[in-house]
Amino acid sequence: GNAVRSSSALLTVSDAPVWTTSAGSLGTIAGNFSGTVATVVATGDTITYSETTSVLTNAAQANCSLNSATGVITTSDFGGSSTSATTYSFTLRVTDAQGQTADRAFTLTSSFQLDSSGRFGA
């Protein structure tokens, strides 16, 4: 066949985003905790974070918020109305400027302990 060579036709390659936070547990958090729970990190070209499941950001489950720009997971009441230890399994997706994605599965566990009066508390 014939080969064509052009100095004006450039091919650009863009790598998909890459997770730097390992899959699996992001830790155990006291039930009813308020504040920053965890931060997930990925690398890529102008990336955004989202949840593909509806566990992490569901008020009836983990009751967290995910910052789509920074990967910071926060809550005002971890685990919501739950009063028993629960492991929340969810999948996060990172998307780059070219629309390429990478998914990763994580868990967060809530813990509850007996307080000095013998009642369960965070």
Side-chain angles (χ1 to χ4, degrees):
N2 295 328
V4 176
R5 185 173 175 173
S6 170
S7 62
S8 63
L10 300 175
L11 178 62
T12 302
V13 176
S14 172
D15 292 330
V18 175
W19 283 100
T20 56
T21 302
S22 298
S25 176
L26 294 175
T28 300
I29 310 299
N32 306 118
F33 170 79
S34 177
T36 298
V37 175
T39 300
V40 293
V41 179
T43 59
D45 178 28
T46 314
I47 57 175
T48 58
Y49 300 88
S50 60
E51 181 184 7
T52 65
T53 51
S54 59
V55 175
L56 179 68
T57 56
N58 186 326
Q61 294 190 32
N63 194 37
C64 293
S65 296
L66 173 64
N67 184 306
S68 63
T70 64
V72 174
I73 301 169
T74 59
T75 185
S76 60
D77 183 12
F78 185 66
S81 61
S82 177
T83 57
S84 60
T86 304
T87 297
Y88 300 100
S89 299
F90 54 95
T91 301
L92 298 183
R93 172 171 289 162
V94 63
T95 306
D96 69 10
Q98 291 75 39
Q100 300 173 108
T101 63
D103 294 353
R104 183 146 288 181
F106 298 103
T107 62
L108 280 168
T109 302
S110 63
S111 66
F112 290 85
Q113 302 168 351
L114 287 174
D115 65 16
S116 60
S117 66
R119 296 179 299 182
F120 280 98

